[in-house]
Amino acid sequence: LNGQYVWFFEALRNAVYGDGSLLYSFERALGGEFAGIYAYYLASPFSYLVCLFPKGWMQEALLTLFLLKAAICGGSFGFYLHKTSKNPNKIAILIFSILYALCSYGIIQQHNTMWIDAMMWLPMITLGIEQLIKYGKFKFYTVFLALTVFSNFYIGYMVCFWCVLYFLFYLIAEGKEANPLGERLHILKSILRFLFYSLLSVGIAALVLLGAYYSLNFGKTTFSNTNWKWQTNLDLLELVYKFLPGSYDTVRPEGYPFIYCGILTLLLLPGYFLSRKFTMRQKISSAVLVLLFVVSFSLSVIDLFWHGMQQPNWLNYRYSFMLCFFLCVLACRSLQELNAHSVKAALGMGGLIALLCVFLQKYTDDAYVSPKTFTYIWFTLGAVFLNLSVLAVYHSANKKQIAAIGMAVVVSLEVFLNGLWSLNALDDDVVYTHYSYYNNFLKKTEPLVESVQSKDTGFYRMEKTYFRKVNDNMGLGMRGLSGSTSTLDQETIRFLDKMGYASVSHWSQYLGGTPVNDSLLGIRYLLSDDDKYADYYEIFDRDPINGYVAYRNPYALSIAYGVSEDLMEFPLGYLGNNVETDQKSDKKTSQIEDAIASVKSFLNRLLDIDETIRRDEYTDLYDSPFERLNAILTAMLGETETVRAFVAIPVEKTETVNLATPYQAEGHTCYAKSKADAKASFSYTLQMPVDGELYFYQPTNYPRETDLELLHLNDGTSVDAGSFGGSDSTRIISLGNQTSGDTLKLTMTLEGKNLYFITGKECFYYLDMNVFRSAMERLASDQFQIADYTEHSFRGTVSTSNDNEWILTTIAYDKGWKITVDGKPVEIQKALGALVAFQIDGTAGVHTIEMVYRPKPLIVGLVITCLSLVLFLLLIILEKQMKKVRFLRAIVSVTPGEEKTKEKSETTVTDSKAPGYEIIILRHREE
């Protein structure tokens, strides 16, 4: 929430009130589709509530959103219980609505607010399934399943699994009770209805689903290697512990499911299975459904299916709220049928929980008992005692109202304290950010951003050298290079890394910028509190209150410019379709993987989605971003000799401290500590040949974090130069402006045990401004002049110097971009493994260019959504007429009595024993 979601809500608000777009955004890393972000994080209709709050009130808006969703969770659960209980017990419904809304999943996952929509609507969907089976009523099920899938495709996918499980469970558990109207071929017709209306619900949500699928193909589906090996995920004793209050462990990858839903729920569960009010069929079916969830938690492959065939990145078992829902339903049924027998069962269950607490206290490896968890164990024992007491009083009291209120108070106190403990434990685990930190950052940064944008209304990229979080740009409305999202673009992230920026995994950040890579990617303005950029750029604006300066980069290129054909052959990026398809991979794949790949390939061909992203087919001839940037400039300009904008500085000598004799392995020079506990370092000594900024990058395929210290041997002064090799420091490092003739010593102090360098590579460079300026002037001569633009379209002209010239854009490659030159569509190509490029066929001169983002999956999704909605409305309007058509009766609701007989007649019988009375016998057939 702190690092990602809050900024996405800011982007949503900007799309409603400002210039933002829900289709495409240049405020994420280099730019990219926004449909995936919208589908994963923002598609809930409740997200738009943030737009009702004034700018600067985002945290209040989100708090309101969380509270409202928690209320709806309880309200929808209560509605379900009220509609499905034979004799609704209001206090029982109230109690278990509280327990469901404030179960541990609802508390811990509230910051993943897009997941709570599924928790909100699960009771409604379940009620819809029951109505669909019993009466053929389809509206409730269709609306709420479509709403759930639309609100979040990811958890919506899991809810679809629940729908299948619960549909089968209800048919089996209820038996004849599932067909109260005596419909013929009831099971077959129910299956047909379920399949038809499930597909219709998915069709209604197709706009979001296909947008999400399109987004996932940019790299999320290959973000991690899926392990299809059968193995157990957890220890059953630890799983039992998770049913107790205060049982938060972690949201990290080793975390267990959040399934606490009240001590009262545990106490009453045995009563359900021992009660004579429920059939053996219901009890066995319920036990099997609970067991299925335990098996899903325990076995890795089944858990992977629940999570969309990919291992979650933190926050495991994201479907565990379904078990909480079902357990609360069973416990409520038990409370509504409370008797002496079930009270005794509750006492027995309380004893088992007490024994479990005693055992946990004595557990040998202290996995459960610490100063905090010891408190939780005593609290659990107290909660068991209080709940049993109020249950006994409630059962024996003549006036149950007071006892029921006492029960509600005990339950509320229990979940309230568990909620506080859970939130504090979450803070200890992953750390909250202070309220003021967010607002203060925006208040300090927004004035300068808005000032620059008011003075320059054109299209350009802007970045800053100070950060709150990686997604700052979305909150500030800045088009830049920084961004982090689960719907990642793998090619863009890899490309920015190769250009020298901090970019890895699912995020990128503006660290590692130089005049060369900044100018090529069109970064026109740079916000900073540092004056070192004055050597390259001009001061454009200043915020005297907060001390920030906006520098203007006069060399920044437009979003598109002419380049030599040589660039299209530059060896950088995924080989994609250039790889021979008849080559078989050595990797063994399972039948599951093959089936998934086949379905995915079919959809990609149908929707015209690019399939070239393959992680094991990346090619790159350069180990250093300096060498690579020089080579890119050379290819862009079509030169035969290397354009050396970056010039290497030779190292005079190297020194080591506490490092053993180096050895060679896989092209690397490898160092290991001589003494494991002692400080170890590696040092370079060099002389600065010119006045200017000194850059550093240590080529390695195995980066290890090191702390950097730069010592000026001329005067003995030293400065902390940051770090290199960590997650955000494996990029170009600026060592500051230096003076010609300075002798410098850079010391790299190891954080770990080993150090790996690619053998024989230069590490230090300076920028030759004359070569750089000349290259930028030549590229700027053929750049795109933008006449007008939106966030997802551009129109303007370009003056080409050569016939059949290639135009490189700094737009992330996406087949959704449609480009016309002089009114004629042209085919787009991929350049540098990540960027859109196209060729202007014809003679040199002025050409009109139009670029529009229009991906086919979104168009197809919009069509399917509209058609599905029309079909749904027609089904509602024409429902009565459809009952008259035999083959359509299976998908519409059943009318009471319509299935009784086939005949239609009227017979009058005179009863001789009761003169003056007639018996009218009516027989009806289907109409």
Side-chain angles (χ1 to χ4, degrees):
L1 179 68
N2 180 40
Q4 290 185 330
Y5 311 160
V6 66
W7 302 117
F8 301 151
F9 280 104
E10 293 280 9
L12 176 65
R13 193 182 188 283
N14 187 43
V16 173
Y17 291 115
D19 300 326
S21 168
L22 297 181
L23 186 62
Y24 198 90
S25 175
F26 282 96
E27 294 167 3
R28 58 180 294 187
L30 199 62
E33 54 77 33
F34 197 77
I37 293 177
Y38 182 81
Y40 192 83
Y41 300 102
L42 303 169
S44 168
F46 289 91
S47 297
Y48 288 89
L49 288 175
V50 302
C51 302
L52 301 179
F53 286 75
K55 186 176 178 61
W57 284 45
M58 182 56 70
Q59 292 175 107
E60 288 77 7
L62 292 177
L63 176 59
T64 303
L65 184 65
F66 297 160
L67 293 174
L68 180 61
K69 287 190 176 185
I72 294 174
C73 284
S76 64
F77 188 82
F79 184 81
Y80 169 80
L81 290 175
H82 181 76
K83 286 291 185 180
T84 57
S85 299
K86 293 180 180 180
N87 299 301
N89 182 321
K90 293 181 179 180
I91 195 66
I93 291 174
L94 171 66
I95 287 171
F96 284 96
S97 295
I98 293 171
L99 288 173
Y100 176 68
L102 299 181
C103 66
S104 59
Y105 184 99
I107 294 292
I108 298 300
Q109 305 293 11
Q110 65 168 296
H111 65 283
N112 294 298
T113 182
M114 66 280 183
W115 296 352
I116 302 300
D117 284 69
M119 186 178 172
M120 285 162 42
W121 303 133
L122 185 71
M124 299 301 205
I125 293 171
T126 307
L127 177 60
I129 293 173
E130 295 181 14
Q131 291 181 343
L132 187 68
I133 293 173
K134 293 175 72 173
Y135 309 113
K137 295 181 178 180
F138 60 89
K139 304 179 190 71
F140 213 76
Y141 175 69
T142 305
V143 168
F144 283 103
L145 180 58
L147 180 59
T148 301
V149 176
F150 189 95
S151 296
N152 185 262
F153 73 91
Y154 182 50
I155 307 298
Y157 158 85
M158 301 177 195
V159 170
C160 289
F161 268 72
W162 164 263
C163 291
V164 174
L165 289 176
Y166 194 81
F167 175 82
L168 297 173
F169 159 80
Y170 195 77
L171 276 179
I172 297 170
E174 296 300 315
K176 293 181 179 180
E177 294 296 321
N179 185 20
L181 303 180
E183 183 183 35
R184 295 199 312 155
L185 301 176
H186 175 69
I187 293 179
L188 177 60
K189 290 181 178 179
S190 295
I191 292 173
L192 290 175
R193 291 186 187 111
F194 177 73
L195 293 176
F196 179 78
Y197 290 110
S198 296
L199 290 174
L200 183 60
S201 300
V202 171
I204 293 172
L207 176 61
V208 163
L209 291 177
L210 289 185
Y213 179 76
Y214 186 62
S215 173
L216 294 176
N217 278 274
F218 286 96
K220 178 63 175 179
T221 53
T222 56
F223 180 64
S224 61
N225 291 316
T226 302
N227 181 8
W228 291 103
K229 183 179 179 180
W230 287 90
Q231 56 190 18
T232 56
N233 290 336
L234 43 75
D235 178 89
L236 290 179
L237 178 61
E238 295 188 30
L239 182 64
V240 172
Y241 169 66
K242 292 291 289 182
F243 283 102
L244 303 182
S247 58
Y248 177 93
D249 51 356
T250 181
V251 293
R252 299 174 189 274
E254 61 270 21
Y256 273 43
F258 295 109
I259 49 179
Y260 162 80
C261 49
I263 290 294
L264 186 63
T265 302
L266 297 180
L267 295 176
L268 289 171
L269 280 177
Y272 172 84
F273 291 101
L274 296 174
S275 174
R276 295 181 180 179
K277 295 288 186 179
F278 309 104
T279 66
M280 186 59 65
R281 181 195 294 262
Q282 289 173 322
K283 296 173 186 177
I284 293 175
S285 300
S286 298
V288 170
L289 187 57
V290 172
L291 182 62
L292 280 174
F293 276 100
V294 175
V295 171
S296 297
F297 296 152
S298 302
L299 299 182
S300 58
V301 173
I302 300 177
D303 184 56
L304 278 173
F305 268 105
W306 276 100
H307 288 103
M309 280 68 77
Q310 255 201 344
Q311 186 66 35
N313 182 27
W314 290 36
L315 301 160
N316 298 332
Y317 312 104
R318 301 174 184 187
Y319 53 94
S320 60
F321 67 95
M322 301 176 192
L323 177 59
C324 295
F325 166 78
F326 191 63
L327 293 179
C328 286
V329 170
L330 297 182
C332 186
R333 300 274 189 260
S334 178
L335 181 59
Q336 289 176 328
E337 303 295 341
L338 189 68
N339 54 39
H341 192 67
S342 54
V343 170
K344 291 179 181 178
L347 287 170
M349 187 65 178
L352 289 176
I353 295 174
L355 288 176
L356 175 65
C357 290
V358 172
F359 179 77
L360 293 177
Q361 184 183 358
K362 295 295 184 181
Y363 204 70
T364 54
D365 63 357
D366 296 328
Y368 305 103
V369 179
S370 66
K372 287 186 177 181
T373 55
F374 191 75
T375 302
Y376 302 153
I377 286 177
W378 278 105
F379 176 80
T380 299
L381 293 174
V384 168
F385 174 77
L386 287 176
N387 277 286
L388 286 174
S389 299
V390 293
L391 269 179
V393 172
Y394 178 78
H395 171 66
S396 59
N398 293 326
K399 293 184 178 180
K400 297 183 181 295
Q401 187 174 4
I402 296 176
I405 292 173
M407 190 185 304
V409 170
V410 169
V411 166
S412 298
L413 179 63
E414 178 191 328
V415 294
F416 173 69
L417 291 175
N418 176 73
L420 289 180
W421 287 331
S422 297
L423 291 176
N424 286 329
L426 182 64
D427 185 20
D428 293 338
D429 189 18
V430 293
V431 184
Y432 298 149
T433 294
H434 288 288
Y435 172 90
S436 59
Y437 183 32
Y438 178 79
N439 285 341
N440 289 346
F441 173 80
L442 290 179
K443 288 178 181 178
K444 289 181 179 180
T445 308
E446 281 178 338
L448 186 57
V449 173
E450 293 172 355
S451 177
V452 171
Q453 292 174 340
S454 65
K455 294 176 182 178
D456 188 343
T457 58
F459 182 90
Y460 49 84
R461 291 190 172 99
M462 175 164 52
E463 269 295 353
K464 52 188 177 55
T465 61
Y466 54 94
F467 306 93
R468 178 185 176 273
K469 292 293 178 180
V470 176
N471 284 308
D472 293 348
N473 290 352
M474 285 197 171
L476 296 167
M478 291 170 48
R479 304 180 185 96
L481 307 183
S482 302
S484 169
T485 169
S486 293
T487 57
L488 56 97
D489 186 336
Q490 183 175 300
E491 290 186 338
T492 298
I493 290 170
R494 178 65 72 91
F495 169 74
L496 291 174
D497 169 66
K498 295 301 181 181
M499 294 292 282
Y501 298 103
S503 186
V504 66
S505 185
H506 61 280
W507 62 268
S508 60
Q509 190 169 10
Y510 182 76
L511 296 168
T514 70
V516 176
N517 50 14
D518 283 2
S519 299
L520 292 177
L521 298 181
I523 299 180
R524 188 182 299 177
Y525 297 101
L526 191 61
L527 309 186
S528 180
D529 54 1
D530 194 330
D531 61 358
K532 71 177 183 179
Y533 300 97
D535 289 348
Y536 304 122
Y537 307 144
E538 59 193 35
I539 296 178
F540 180 79
D541 205 349
R542 187 187 296 273
D543 182 354
I545 297 176
N546 297 304
Y548 298 137
V549 178
Y551 292 94
R552 184 180 184 277
N553 177 7
Y555 312 106
L557 298 173
S558 175
I559 198 169
Y561 46 90
V563 295
S564 168
E565 186 177 6
D566 294 351
L567 186 72
M568 301 307 297
E569 304 297 326
F570 192 86
L572 181 66
Y574 294 92
L575 299 182
N577 291 332
N578 295 327
V579 178
E580 295 182 12
T581 56
D582 60 348
Q583 292 181 354
K584 295 183 179 180
S585 171
D586 292 333
K587 179 186 175 183
K588 294 182 179 179
T589 59
S590 67
Q591 292 181 343
I592 297 175
E593 290 174 296
D594 291 339
I596 294 171
S598 298
V599 173
K600 186 173 181 289
S601 180
F602 169 76
L603 287 174
N604 289 347
R605 291 195 300 271
L606 180 67
L607 300 172
D608 192 30
I609 295 176
D610 187 62
E611 293 187 282
T612 61
I613 296 179
R614 301 182 180 124
R615 291 181 302 159
D616 56 346
E617 296 168 3
Y618 199 90
T619 181
D620 181 19
L621 302 181
Y622 303 93
D623 299 311
S624 163
F626 305 111
E627 298 174 2
R628 193 178 300 108
L629 286 167
N630 283 345
I632 288 173
L633 281 176
T634 304
M636 285 180 170
L637 298 172
E639 296 291 338
T640 56
E641 294 186 7
T642 302
V643 177
R644 299 195 180 278
F646 288 106
V647 181
I649 303 174
V651 172
E652 294 182 352
K653 67 175 181 177
T654 60
E655 299 174 71
T656 62
V657 174
N658 190 34
L659 292 177
T661 303
Y663 60 94
Q664 302 295 316
E666 298 182 2
H668 284 68
T669 302
C670 311
Y671 294 87
K673 283 186 176 181
S674 300
K675 297 180 180 179
D677 298 331
K679 185 177 181 180
S681 63
F682 185 95
S683 300
Y684 294 102
T685 301
L686 67 150
Q687 189 173 62
M688 191 69 183
V690 296
D691 292 344
E693 192 167 2
L694 176 63
Y695 297 104
F696 168 79
Y697 184 92
Q698 177 64 69
T700 177
N701 293 330
Y702 311 102
R704 299 291 185 269
E705 187 166 6
T706 58
D707 293 325
L708 303 180
E709 182 184 23
L710 185 66
L711 174 65
H712 292 74
L713 296 178
N714 301 66
D715 56 14
T717 60
S718 65
V719 293
D720 181 358
S723 64
F724 181 81
S727 61
D728 63 349
S729 60
T730 306
R731 38 86 180 182
I732 294 175
I733 302 292
S734 171
L735 297 177
N737 292 319
Q738 309 299 332
T739 304
S740 176
D742 283 353
T743 302
L744 307 168
K745 181 179 181 180
L746 181 70
T747 300
M748 307 172 67
T749 302
L750 279 66
E751 289 288 327
K753 299 179 179 179
N754 302 305
L755 202 57
Y756 304 89
F757 300 153
I758 293 180
T759 305
K761 296 294 181 179
E762 302 288 352
C763 302
F764 299 92
Y765 286 80
Y766 71 90
L767 179 61
D768 188 325
M769 288 300 296
N770 292 328
V771 175
F772 165 68
R773 289 192 186 99
S774 175
M776 290 302 110
E777 288 172 1
R778 291 172 61 184
L779 292 172
S781 63
D782 287 9
Q783 63 181 328
F784 182 40
Q785 304 297 324
I786 301 173
D788 58 71
Y789 67 93
T790 66
E791 200 69 10
H792 54 269
S793 66
F794 299 90
R795 188 177 61 84
T797 59
V798 63
S799 180
T800 58
S801 303
N802 304 302
D803 296 343
N804 303 319
E805 187 166 304
W806 280 91
I807 303 297
L808 173 72
T809 78
T810 52
I811 298 173
Y813 180 79
D814 185 335
K815 292 186 73 173
W817 281 100
K818 312 302 179 186
I819 300 177
T820 60
V821 177
D822 299 327
K824 298 179 181 179
V826 297
E827 183 181 359
I828 66 170
Q829 300 289 337
K830 187 184 295 184
L832 298 176
L835 303 179
V836 171
F838 60 94
Q839 189 175 24
I840 298 179
D841 294 328
T843 59
V846 179
H847 299 275
T848 301
I849 309 293
E850 186 170 358
M851 300 187 285
V852 180
Y853 186 67
R854 193 168 53 242
K856 184 177 178 180
L858 290 179
I859 298 172
V860 174
L862 179 61
V863 171
I864 295 175
T865 292
C866 292
L867 291 177
S868 299
L869 284 172
V870 170
L871 177 59
F872 181 57
L873 293 175
L874 287 175
L875 289 170
I876 295 174
I877 296 169
L878 303 176
E879 183 178 4
K880 290 184 179 180
Q881 288 77 3
M882 291 172 63
K883 291 180 181 180
K884 298 178 182 180
V885 182
R886 183 176 297 274
F887 70 90
L888 293 179
R889 293 173 191 164
I891 62 171
V892 293
S893 59
V894 183
T895 300
E898 69 180 0
E899 292 284 351
K900 295 300 182 184
T901 63
K902 285 288 182 181
E903 298 83 10
K904 178 181 181 182
S905 64
E906 181 176 315
T907 305
T908 302
V909 179
T910 301
D911 188 348
S912 59
K913 295 182 180 180
Y917 289 88
E918 292 180 337
I919 297 173
I920 308 298
I921 299 173
L922 301 178
R923 294 187 178 91
H924 299 271
R925 69 182 181 196
E926 292 182 52
E927 291 290 340

